[in-house]
């Protein structure tokens, strides 16, 4: 666990293995360096390296004993008027990753809230949060895993302000980082280990520690309730389906609280079922429970953040396998709310379990806001690329709030329309709806399918996180693997409702 220590000044006289500074495109020197001598030397080095301050560019300089810190890393922030929290988050995440790469024990970030047009707490939240995000590694199964590869301490240079003013926000950064790490660990876990009941055991243990209520709805009860989607998808697997219901209620009961319900797709492995996926790349389908992992992470953070909003989390856990007992294309399932679904593809399984989860949430929890997170469609990645979540919903105000929260958290989300005429694509001749349409607009028809299972009047937003939940390749700005995408956005959103 990296210690976060705010200190006065710009870190010019701080001993460390790595100190981070920033520069906008077009500037001659990193303006976060106040010390004149250091600034002159660093700008010479930057010039020699042809550094221009472009976004996602960086120069690492070894100070060779001439300065208090052994290395300085200058990150480009790109054009000043294109700056956003996401740019800063990314720069600091890259720095966090570099810090692990060079085994830096003590690192520092010189904060410049004024230059970023952010409040001091916001600047600290994004910068420290980004650094910790980038320093994450999943090395549980590596025989060569290095004890203590994580930085021990991160200093935050706060300029002239009183460092104690950042204590609260830095505590929050740690809380959020801890739960995001848990989500990333769960997504990274191999699917032979993390089956639905394993997830339930972990959720129950973690919920107990965090003082969040946890109830398991097992197969027998799913049958009594009529959750045909959950049971149908799980039929080909030797692991039974389980619905994990988490509940956080704030301590004070002074006034009417908002009630938020989060629903997460928890397919621990998606082979496609009888509509089997191609073998190439199938291993990435261990990440098909990223939505559920994010919902668990969010619920676990709420008590520590003392959020004054009631939140329920529904984790819909199943495994999608081909088998003699598995559902087939042509089968008809009945969802919790009584609607029937013709199976066109057993690989469109996420929407079947979400249909049960969403309709059960509407009926029993009466949410003021209902939000689902799901690695739902490859089509969403085709539409928006790998780094962006598709946002759809039946309530423009809630959609807007989610998009605003995403921008503040530095996570990329973009709205897609729910064109009513595309409903035709999922019309069935034998059931109320079918579970897949034509290839074109696949993210949208998936959203329209889900809408069939949300009671009118319940504000609902669907987040298709198929792209950003898990990176099969690394990008300049994102390491390979699980990201915990959605956790920071939704924690921000929920806090803004309180
Ligand atoms: N889990 C997949 C979607 C997915 C694909 C997530 C790639 C992350 C990366 C989902 O269950 C699925 O298979 N969707 C199908 C839907 C189709 C059959 C209508 C898809 O996108 O191909
Ligand atoms: Mn699938
Ligand atoms: Zn899936």
């Amino acid at each position: 666990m990296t210690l976060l220590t705010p200190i006065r000044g710009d870190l010019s006289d701080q001993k460390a293995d790595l100190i981070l500074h920033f520069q906008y495109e077009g500037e001659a020197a990193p303006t976060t360096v106040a010390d004149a001598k250091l600034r002159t030397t660093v700008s010479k080095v930057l010039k020699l390296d042809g550094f221009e301050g472009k976004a996602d560019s960086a120069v690492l300089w070894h100070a060779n004993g001439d300065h208090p810190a052994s290395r300085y890393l200058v990150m480009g922030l790109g054009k000043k008027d294109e700056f956003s929290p996401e740019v800063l988050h990314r720069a600091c995440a890259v720095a966090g990753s570099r810090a692990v790469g060079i085994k830096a024990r003590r690192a520092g970030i010189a904060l410049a809230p004024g230059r970023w047009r952010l409040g001091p707490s916001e600047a600290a939240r994004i910068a420290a949060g980004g650094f910790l995000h980038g320093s994450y590694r999943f090395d549980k199964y590596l025989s060569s895993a290095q004890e203590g590869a994580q930085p021990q301490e991160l200093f935050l240079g706060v300029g002239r302000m009183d460092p104690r003013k950042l204590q609260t926000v830095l505590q929050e950064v740690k809380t959020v980082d801890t739960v995001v790490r848990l989500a990333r660990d769960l997504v990274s876990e191999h699917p032979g280990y993390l089956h639905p009941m394993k997830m339930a055991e972990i959720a129950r243990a973690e919920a107990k520690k965090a003082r969040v209520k946890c109830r398991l709805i097992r197969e027998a009860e799913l049958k009594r309730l009529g959750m045909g989607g959950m049971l149908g998808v799980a039929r080909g697997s030797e692991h039974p389906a389980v619905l994990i219901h988490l509940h956080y209620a704030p301590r004070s009961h002074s006034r009417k609280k908002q009630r938020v319900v989060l629903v997460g797709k928890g397919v621990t492995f998606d082979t496609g079922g009888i509509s089997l996926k191609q073998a190439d790349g199938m291993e990435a389908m261990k990440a098909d429970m990223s939505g559920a992992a994010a919902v668990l992470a969010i619920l676990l953070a709420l008590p520590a953040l003392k959020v004054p909003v009631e939140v329920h989390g529904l984790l819909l856990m199943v495994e999608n396998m081909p088998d003699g007992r598995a559902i087939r294309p042509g089968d008809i399932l009945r969802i919790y709310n009584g609607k029937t679904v013709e199976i066109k593809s057993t690989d469109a399984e996420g929407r079947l379990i979400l249909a049960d989860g969403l309709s059960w949430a509407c009926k029993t929890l009466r949410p003021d806001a209902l939000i689902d997170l799901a690695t739902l469609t490859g089509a969403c990645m085709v539409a928006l690329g790998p780094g962006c979540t598709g946002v759809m919903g039946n309530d423009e105000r809630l959609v807007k709030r989610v998009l605003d929260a995403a921008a503040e958290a530095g996570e990329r989300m973009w709205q897609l329309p729910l064109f009513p005429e595309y409903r035709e694509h999922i019309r069935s001749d034998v059931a109320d709806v079918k579970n897949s349409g034509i290839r074109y607009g696949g993210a949208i028809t998936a959203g329209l399918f889900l809408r069939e299972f949300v009671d009118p009047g319940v504000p609902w937003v669907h987040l298709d996180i198929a792209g950003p939940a898990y990176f099969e390749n690394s990008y300049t700005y994102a390491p390979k693997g699980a990201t915990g995408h959605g956790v920071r956005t939704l924690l921000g959103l929920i806090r803004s409702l309180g």
Side-chain angles (χ1 to χ4, degrees), residues 44-233:
K44 262 188 211 145
V45 172
L46 294 175
K47 203 164 175 196
L48 281 171
D49 275 17
F51 178 78
E52 296 172 80
K54 289 214 159 67
D56 299 322
S57 70
V59 167
L60 179 68
W61 176 61
H62 291 251
N64 206 16
D66 296 339
H67 293 277
S70 47
R71 299 176 197 83
Y72 293 86
L73 177 62
V74 181
M75 299 296 308
L77 292 179
K79 295 204 173 68
K80 196 172 178 180
D81 52 4
E82 286 169 13
F83 180 84
S84 69
E86 194 209 342
V87 172
L88 183 61
H89 175 85
R90 243 155 71 178
C92 293
V94 169
S97 184
R98 296 281 285 264
V100 173
I102 60 174
K103 299 196 187 67
R105 319 290 291 144
R106 291 145 60 88
I109 303 181
L111 299 177
R115 302 197 33 82
W116 303 330
R117 279 163 281 168
L118 296 170
S121 293
E122 277 314 286
R125 183 171 64 80
I126 302 279
F131 183 92
L132 295 179
H133 195 80
S135 70
Y136 169 83
R137 293 289 181 274
F138 182 73
D139 54 10
K140 180 175 167 188
Y141 295 101
L142 295 179
S143 313
S144 61
Q146 292 192 340
E147 250 326 289
Q150 294 287 304
Q152 268 171 1
E153 189 164 15
L154 176 66
F155 300 102
L156 296 147
V158 300
R160 278 192 292 269
M161 127 184 209
D162 180 356
R164 283 172 304 189
K165 288 204 174 130
L166 289 184
Q167 286 306 354
T168 313
V169 71
L170 292 178
Q171 193 52 49
E172 291 174 3
V173 165
K174 273 196 214 170
T175 299
V176 175
D177 183 62
T178 305
V179 298
V180 169
R181 272 167 200 265
L182 174 69
R184 296 170 84 178
D185 282 348
L186 292 170
V187 173
S188 308
E189 263 298 350
H190 72 87
Y193 170 81
L194 196 88
H195 51 75
M197 267 318 288
K198 180 62 74 180
M199 182 77 167
E201 285 164 25
I202 295 170
R204 191 155 58 180
E206 293 293 331
K208 194 169 177 196
K209 276 193 265 169
R211 293 171 187 270
V212 167
K213 279 194 210 121
C214 175
R215 180 166 80 94
L216 301 185
I217 302 184
R218 293 193 177 77
E219 200 173 28
E221 200 178 345
L222 293 173
K223 277 187 185 143
R224 269 201 300 282
L225 290 166
M227 294 217 182
M230 289 284 285
L231 294 164
V233 174

Side-chain angles (χ1 to χ4, degrees), residues 169-455:
V169 71
L170 292 178
Q171 193 52 49
E172 291 174 3
V173 165
K174 273 196 214 170
T175 299
V176 175
D177 183 62
T178 305
V179 298
V180 169
R181 272 167 200 265
L182 174 69
R184 296 170 84 178
D185 282 348
L186 292 170
V187 173
S188 308
E189 263 298 350
H190 72 87
Y193 170 81
L194 196 88
H195 51 75
M197 267 318 288
K198 180 62 74 180
M199 182 77 167
E201 285 164 25
I202 295 170
R204 191 155 58 180
E206 293 293 331
K208 194 169 177 196
K209 276 193 265 169
R211 293 171 187 270
V212 167
K213 279 194 210 121
C214 175
R215 180 166 80 94
L216 301 185
I217 302 184
R218 293 193 177 77
E219 200 173 28
E221 200 178 345
L222 293 173
K223 277 187 185 143
R224 269 201 300 282
L225 290 166
M227 294 217 182
M230 289 284 285
L231 294 164
V233 174
R235 247 169 53 193
S237 169
E238 61 171 327
H239 297 291
V242 57
L243 192 160
I244 307 167
H245 179 188
L246 301 166
H247 180 203
Y248 162 78
R251 271 161 176 266
S252 61
H253 293 285
S254 48
R255 62 190 166 88
K256 162 95 177 70
K257 295 286 185 307
Q258 294 265 336
R259 183 184 296 138
V260 177
V261 179
L262 305 176
V263 182
K265 172 178 173 181
V267 179
T268 59
F269 194 66
D270 181 13
T271 64
I274 297 299
S275 314
L276 196 62
K277 286 183 183 296
Q278 63 174 50
D280 191 36
M282 201 199 278
E283 66 281 358
M285 284 301 120
K286 70 174 184 179
D288 214 16
M289 35 59 72
S290 297
V295 173
L296 172 62
I298 293 164
L299 267 287
L300 294 176
L302 298 172
L305 298 175
K306 299 191 181 68
V307 173
V309 178
E310 182 184 349
V311 184
H312 292 261
L314 306 178
L315 282 53
L316 310 169
M317 306 308 304
V318 294
E319 185 186 42
N320 188 21
M321 296 291 269
D323 180 77
R325 281 166 40 84
I327 53 167
R328 340 157 168 69
D331 278 354
I332 296 175
L333 301 179
R334 190 180 294 279
I335 301 302
Y336 172 77
N337 70 349
K339 285 198 185 180
T340 55
V341 183
E342 177 193 0
I343 305 302
K344 180 91 171 63
S345 166
T346 64
D347 196 10
E349 84 297 341
R351 62 197 76 183
L352 299 172
I353 63 174
L354 287 165
D356 275 333
L358 291 170
S359 54
W360 187 79
C362 289
K363 176 89 178 298
T364 60
L365 302 172
R366 294 261 117 235
D368 298 304
L370 174 62
I371 302 175
D372 73 77
L373 287 97
T375 46
L376 205 59
T377 66
C380 193
M381 301 171 71
V382 173
L384 296 174
C388 184
T389 282
V391 182
M392 288 149 265
N394 64 0
D395 183 285
E396 284 306 311
R397 273 180 46 204
L398 187 58
V399 168
K400 173 96 174 37
R401 293 195 80 126
V402 170
L403 293 172
D404 288 348
E408 270 178 41
E411 295 187 314
R412 269 201 183 144
M413 300 200 182
W414 202 262
Q415 187 176 8
L416 296 175
L418 288 176
F419 295 134
E421 63 274 24
Y422 289 13
R423 170 65 174 81
E424 181 63 23
H425 300 170
I426 47 171
R427 198 180 56 78
S428 164
D429 293 326
V430 291
D432 296 328
V433 61
K434 69 180 176 192
N435 79 332
S436 129
I438 57 171
R439 196 151 56 92
Y440 302 117
I444 295 173
T445 42
L448 286 168
F449 180 95
L450 297 181
R451 189 164 71 177
E452 298 284 316
F453 301 91
V454 175
D455 288 356

